[in-house]
Amino acid sequence: MPKETEEYLDKRIKSFVWEGRKKAPIDHEILFLSVEEGGKNLLSIKDRNSAIAIKLLKTFLTTGEDRATWCDLASKGLRKEVSDRPKVEINARISPFIQTWAPLQKKLPRPLKRMVKTANKFRLKFDALALTKDVKGELPLWFHTGAKKDLGRHNNSVCATCLRNKHGVRSVDDILTIIERNYHRHSRRRNCACESCKLDRLRGCESPYKCQEEAIKILDCINEKWDPRLELNQPNAELTEEELTRNSAALIEKEKVIFDPRIAIDRVEDGYRVFCDNTSTSPAHQLDPIEGEDDPSDRAVFIGSCVTVNEDGEYCSAGGIWYGPEDTSNMTVRMSKKLASKEGGVAAAMLYAIQNSPREVSLHFTLDSKRILHALTKGLQEYEDKGWLNVDDSSLLRAISAALRGRGTRCTLREAGEQDRWNMSKANEQARLGLDDGAPTVLNTDIPEAYKLDGIKLSSGSQSMFYKAIKAERHKPERMKTTIMLDITRHAARDLSGKTPTDGDIWRSIRNPDISRTTRDFMWRCMHQAYKIGPYWTNIPNFEHWGICRHCQVEETMEHILIECNAPGQETLWNLAQRLWEMKGFQWPEMTHGRILACGLVDVQNSAGKSNKGANRLFRILISETAHLIWKIRCTRVIERGSDPSRYLSEAEIHNKWLYCINTRLKTDALLTDTRKYDKRALKIRTVQDTWNGVLKNPENLPEIWVRQSGFLVGIPPLQ
Ligand SMILES: [Zn+2]
Ligand SMILES: [Zn+2]
Ligand SMILES: [Zn+2]
Ligand SMILES: [Zn+2]
């Protein structure tokens, strides 16, 4: 799609979202954020087109028989014109995406130029933790992606030219063949009579022995990690096919799953990574286990964890490491409050246990988290391929997998079962010791250079995945105003529920489907302070008076409008809301700006300490709709009627407007239970009844399942 079209479409969307206003009230970028980040998850045409472009790159770099014809043409096109410094002979050019030369962009046809630009912009690199010997051999030799600087001097030497043009050397394998040939009765002379030299001379080489010696020097320029002559030190070998099969069964049967230290890619295309900033040249050797004197080399370890909400409403968690009674290695790992979660505790404890066990010890973990177990076994490859995008506890999980891969001993993982009850309770006990106020345990989540793998594997990515990755990289607009509102809401939510929500919890709560769509939007804008009221005008010369409430003569903030203003409206409506809430049988919490925004997070409990879902739902509806109606009444007064007191709404009008709004909401709720019409999206009858039971008019005249009837209303009469 041409750039102009992209921009046009994005502009149209922008104007639609902001109802035609030229200037968006808040940074437009916010809309593209996910709901959890305070955005609206808006599709960006530009980003989607970039994702399509990356997908095209993926198709281009896929090898194999079903490779499209255009790919061959494109390859030729890319090789046609290159920059002259350094010189890249035609026979040295294979692909700019896997070698260190670049095509001349200005000479490229448009689609190819876009491809090269996409590769640069989204940092296409070639890297893997390790490569099989076959893959190392397949890589282009000249301008090798993993070469030391010295190769630069050799790429265009006399012998290099001869090796390319007479000996036909293109790949690493080609040069390896020359080096490993039979040199029986060879001598360093131009006219050496050995079989190999004879053959080379037939091909047109004038001094075979020189080319042969140069070949070794060239291969020596390739970094150890990519050198086909070298192998990794792997005392803990890759799993056999049989072991892999057994692993799959073990995972289901809650038996020991052997951690698979396999890291080598076996296809060239699996080495392409996008969004990749760093590549590593260090080979991923494992640590040799040293035979210990007394230590047994196998140790079973039980990993426990716990999470709780403290008096301040903050989440606290800790992990527990349990080897056995009176074992001095038993340990408690305290999590920082930011990372607190039950599964985070499990991961942190595992990492600590690995890092603090002598290298000769084979660790056998038992843990109680399906997700962590999956992430380190069956799911590891996939998470890594996808760059750990949106994976919880990813920094811990990455560090664990790196640590396990680097160990020269076998480790196993197992999900806790019935027989582990006692040990697991001990491990959890060990974890609970960490719920005091002690400082968080210092965990080292640094990954050794050799085990670092950056970005997303191109061959396993999908368009939507690339889109997510592009989005994740977008600059995240930080808004002071939003941060303040989030904090106010957080404190209020703690009052209403006893728990401290994260930003993500808050954003999700105001998107709660129980709140009507327009009201959700109202709440969202309140949270971003996106309305042009009060302080917005204070700094605009000649408009300062627009920021004043004409009725009260004070600055008109949202807080003023919603709970302080003396103009007819807010007080009446909150009294009505209170009346209805007390009919439900609960005490009315004094309304504050923060509590309005936190209404979706309320947690009213019944006598047994269980959440009263119906009451919570009524509260959400009642508070959000009332607040929104107050805002609408204010806009009518100020904008439509110019703050003219003779045109204010009467108390009765205000009362009846609210009643109409709540009754409409009640009716909508009942209609939404129609499964014939809404199928799976229909509300449960029980949900609706639980919400409104207790606040209806003349309940004694209604059947038990009243939602199917007509004529029900809330138990507050209209005013004449
Ligand atoms: Zn010879
Ligand atoms: Zn030669
Ligand atoms: Zn605070
Ligand atoms: Zn006022």
Side-chain angles (χ1 to χ4, degrees):
M1 195 179 291
K3 220 176 165 131
E4 304 76 53
T5 321
E6 257 174 22
E7 277 165 9
Y8 171 76
L9 283 173
D10 273 334
K11 221 180 252 168
R12 283 298 299 272
I13 291 173
K14 189 168 171 176
S15 136
F16 172 76
V17 172
W18 300 116
E19 289 136 16
R21 260 169 263 166
K22 278 230 177 68
K23 206 167 164 281
I26 55 173
D27 189 343
H28 190 63
E29 286 285 314
I30 287 177
L31 296 174
F32 297 112
L33 298 179
S34 68
V35 170
E36 284 78 11
E37 294 165 324
K40 295 211 159 199
N41 222 352
L42 193 72
L43 177 87
S44 155
I45 305 287
K46 189 168 163 260
D47 288 352
R48 200 198 48 189
N49 287 338
S50 299
I52 293 173
I54 299 175
K55 177 121 182 290
L56 199 69
L57 202 54
K58 170 184 164 176
T59 310
F60 176 69
L61 293 171
T62 304
T63 46
E65 283 169 16
D66 42 357
R67 195 163 186 256
T69 338
W70 68 264
C71 295
D72 291 331
L73 290 172
S75 294
K76 273 190 198 131
L78 286 169
R79 288 196 291 257
K80 211 165 169 186
E81 301 269 4
V82 305
S83 48
D84 10 321
R85 234 168 295 156
K87 189 176 146 209
V88 190
E89 250 186 41
I90 186 83
N91 282 339
R93 303 171 201 165
I94 311 282
S95 159
F97 300 122
I98 202 172
Q99 288 174 289
T100 54
W101 59 271
L104 208 57
Q105 283 203 36
K106 60 178 183 216
K107 294 265 178 94
L108 285 177
R110 256 174 97 149
L112 292 185
K113 197 193 271 176
R114 170 119 212 217
M115 198 149 82
V116 173
K117 278 198 164 143
T118 303
N120 291 339
K121 184 167 177 201
F122 297 105
R123 288 106 64 212
L124 174 75
K125 306 242 162 68
F126 191 86
D127 195 19
L129 292 178
L131 305 88
T132 59
K133 193 176 180 210
D134 286 349
V135 173
K136 285 176 186 168
E138 271 182 60
L139 295 182
L141 173 73
W142 312 106
F143 300 88
H144 193 284
T145 174
K148 299 173 203 154
K149 285 233 162 57
D150 300 356
L151 185 61
R153 288 191 293 123
H154 293 281
N155 276 323
N156 290 310
S157 67
V158 179
C159 284
T161 312
C162 181
L163 281 166
R164 265 195 304 269
N165 300 334
K166 303 276 164 49
H167 306 246
V169 172
R170 301 283 181 277
S171 69
V172 173
D173 261 346
D174 294 340
I175 204 126
L176 195 62
T177 316
I178 291 181
I179 294 170
E180 290 179 345
R181 275 185 308 191
N182 180 5
Y183 286 105
H184 184 59
R185 302 175 74 169
H186 172 71
S187 67
R188 299 185 68 217
R189 279 184 300 137
R190 280 182 70 165
N191 56 357
C192 164
C194 84
E195 286 303 315
S196 295
C197 289
K198 262 193 210 158
L199 203 73
D200 286 349
R201 269 197 301 276
L202 275 176
R203 289 177 143 171
C205 175
E206 288 179 6
S207 44
Y209 83 94
K210 278 192 184 157
C211 282
Q212 290 149 10
E213 282 167 15
E214 179 77 355
I216 297 173
K217 281 188 200 148
I218 289 171
L219 197 54
D220 284 345
C221 293
I222 310 292
N223 271 309
E224 191 186 343
K225 178 171 166 180
W226 314 89
D227 189 331
R229 296 167 297 182
L230 302 172
E231 270 180 42
L232 286 177
N233 182 36
Q234 280 183 309
N236 177 20
E238 288 178 359
L239 303 193
T240 61
E241 283 305 314
E242 200 180 312
E243 282 168 325
L244 287 172
T245 318
R246 215 181 304 145
N247 260 359
S248 309
L251 202 57
I252 301 161
E253 287 155 17
K254 297 193 181 180
E255 279 170 21
K256 280 182 185 172
V257 183
I258 309 168
F259 178 81
D260 189 358
R262 182 182 307 250
I263 46 174
I265 55 164
D266 51 15
R267 298 188 307 176
V268 172
E269 62 192 272
D270 291 337
Y272 293 108
R273 300 187 80 86
V274 274
F275 304 96
C276 181
D277 291 305
N278 301 299
T279 55
S280 151
T281 49
S282 327
H285 294 301
Q286 290 173 353
L287 278 175
D288 273 316
I290 327 164
E291 220 45 65
E293 299 266 311
D294 313 308
D295 274 340
S297 58
D298 280 279
R299 289 198 90 184
V301 52
F302 296 83
I303 302 294
S305 84
C306 62
V307 64
T308 177
V309 182
N310 71 8
E311 289 158 0
D312 296 331
E314 296 163 314
Y315 285 92
C316 306
S317 78
I321 302 169
W322 173 259
Y323 288 96
E326 277 157 56
D327 194 309
T328 49
S329 314
N330 293 343
M331 179 70 195
T332 302
V333 180
R334 283 189 199 85
M335 298 285 284
S336 74
K337 300 225 161 59
K338 264 197 157 156
L339 295 171
S341 77
K342 196 162 183 341
E343 291 180 320
V346 173
M350 281 187 74
L351 181 61
Y352 190 93
I354 298 164
Q355 287 175 342
N356 291 283
S357 300
R359 57 165 88 165
E360 67 273 18
V361 174
S362 277
L363 287 164
H364 302 283
F365 291 99
T366 301
L367 52 145
D368 201 2
S369 161
K370 277 196 166 44
R371 188 176 72 84
I372 302 285
L373 193 68
H374 175 80
L376 293 169
T377 53
K378 215 176 153 194
L380 180 57
Q381 178 82 57
E382 191 189 329
Y383 283 152
E384 189 160 76
D385 290 352
K386 294 185 174 171
W388 298 90
L389 199 67
N390 305 330
V391 176
D392 286 339
D393 307 311
S394 61
S395 61
L396 290 168
L397 290 169
R398 286 175 98 146
I400 295 173
S401 61
L404 287 177
R405 282 166 169 171
R407 283 176 87 85
T409 49
R410 282 236 146 140
C411 288
T412 66
L413 302 105
R414 184 169 66 89
E415 192 184 342
E418 214 25 56
Q419 76 277 24
D420 307 304
R421 197 185 275 180
W422 186 78
N423 280 315
M424 287 308 285
S425 77
K426 286 289 174 194
N428 287 329
E429 227 169 77
Q430 189 75 40
R432 271 194 296 278
L433 296 176
L435 294 178
D436 52 8
D437 269 334
T441 310
V442 179
L443 280 170
N444 179 9
T445 52
D446 292 344
I447 294 170
E449 195 58 33
Y451 288 93
K452 259 185 207 160
L453 194 55
D454 206 16
I456 294 173
K457 192 205 264 183
L458 186 67
S459 65
S460 66
S462 61
Q463 186 185 315
S464 78
M465 164 110 235
F466 300 138
Y467 180 77
K468 276 184 205 144
I470 296 169
K471 250 179 80 167
E473 295 209 320
R474 261 179 180 275
H475 93 101
K476 302 258 153 83
E478 267 275 337
R479 292 191 82 231
M480 186 53 96
K481 284 176 175 175
T482 309
T483 312
I484 293 170
M485 284 322 296
L486 283 168
D487 207 31
I488 291 173
T489 308
R490 196 176 347 268
H491 285 269
R494 190 190 291 178
D495 296 341
L496 291 174
S497 71
K499 294 183 205 101
T500 303
T502 62
D503 287 356
D505 296 334
I506 295 175
W507 290 120
R508 262 190 303 271
S509 80
I510 63 164
R511 282 267 301 218
N512 192 305
D514 295 342
I515 302 171
S516 65
R517 206 179 51 79
T518 53
T519 303
R520 271 183 265 169
D521 194 56
F522 164 72
M523 305 265 285
W524 181 80
R525 290 187 192 206
C526 280
M527 200 68 85
H528 282 299
Q529 301 203 41
Y531 285 109
K532 293 181 178 173
I533 49 171
Y536 177 87
W537 301 107
T538 320
N539 299 321
I540 304 178
N542 304 324
F543 284 91
E544 297 92 341
H545 61 286
W546 285 34
I548 304 292
C549 170
R550 301 247 309 263
H551 187 90
C552 313
Q553 298 301 323
V554 296
E555 188 179 46
E556 194 192 34
T557 58
M558 189 53 92
E559 188 168 24
H560 176 80
I561 294 166
L562 293 180
I563 51 175
E564 289 163 1
C565 188
N566 288 321
Q570 64 89 9
E571 201 181 349
T572 312
L573 296 196
W574 287 125
N575 283 337
L576 284 164
Q578 177 171 3
R579 217 168 123 189
L580 206 72
W581 184 241
E582 285 170 354
M583 284 170 75
K584 185 85 178 164
F586 296 98
Q587 210 191 338
W588 177 250
E590 193 202 335
M591 217 20 78
T592 63
H593 193 191
R595 286 180 181 176
I596 294 169
L597 292 172
C599 71
L601 292 159
V602 70
D603 190 15
V604 178
Q605 297 183 343
N606 60 22
S607 48
K610 270 191 139 184
S611 297
N612 186 331
K613 285 188 186 155
N616 289 338
R617 189 161 180 275
L618 180 67
F619 190 83
R620 281 197 283 274
I621 293 172
L622 202 55
I623 303 301
S624 61
E625 294 298 342
T626 304
H628 192 195
L629 187 58
I630 292 170
W631 168 251
K632 284 192 273 193
I633 289 174
R634 174 266 177 199
C635 292
T636 311
R637 188 183 75 239
V638 174
I639 299 165
E640 282 175 38
R641 304 189 175 181
S643 297
D644 176 359
S646 69
R647 297 175 68 203
Y648 281 179
L649 289 174
S650 72
E651 280 298 324
E653 281 173 310
I654 290 167
H655 177 106
N656 294 341
K657 258 184 191 291
W658 181 84
L659 209 54
Y660 177 78
C661 160
I662 299 297
N663 274 324
T664 309
R665 193 52 232 272
L666 166 61
K667 274 178 210 154
T668 317
D669 246 17
L671 288 175
L672 284 170
T673 59
D674 189 340
T675 46
R676 275 170 311 172
K677 207 164 170 186
Y678 300 103
D679 198 34
K680 279 186 190 135
R681 294 188 348 261
L683 281 176
K684 289 207 177 70
I685 293 180
R686 173 97 194 272
T687 306
V688 174
Q689 300 236 136
D690 285 352
T691 307
W692 300 95
N693 276 345
V695 302
L696 296 178
K697 182 182 163 187
N698 301 334
E700 62 282 2
N701 298 340
L702 292 170
E704 205 185 312
I705 307 292
W706 51 263
V707 294
R708 288 270 165 268
Q709 296 282 306
S710 59
F712 47 79
L713 292 166
V714 294
I716 295 177
L719 290 183
Q720 297 302 313

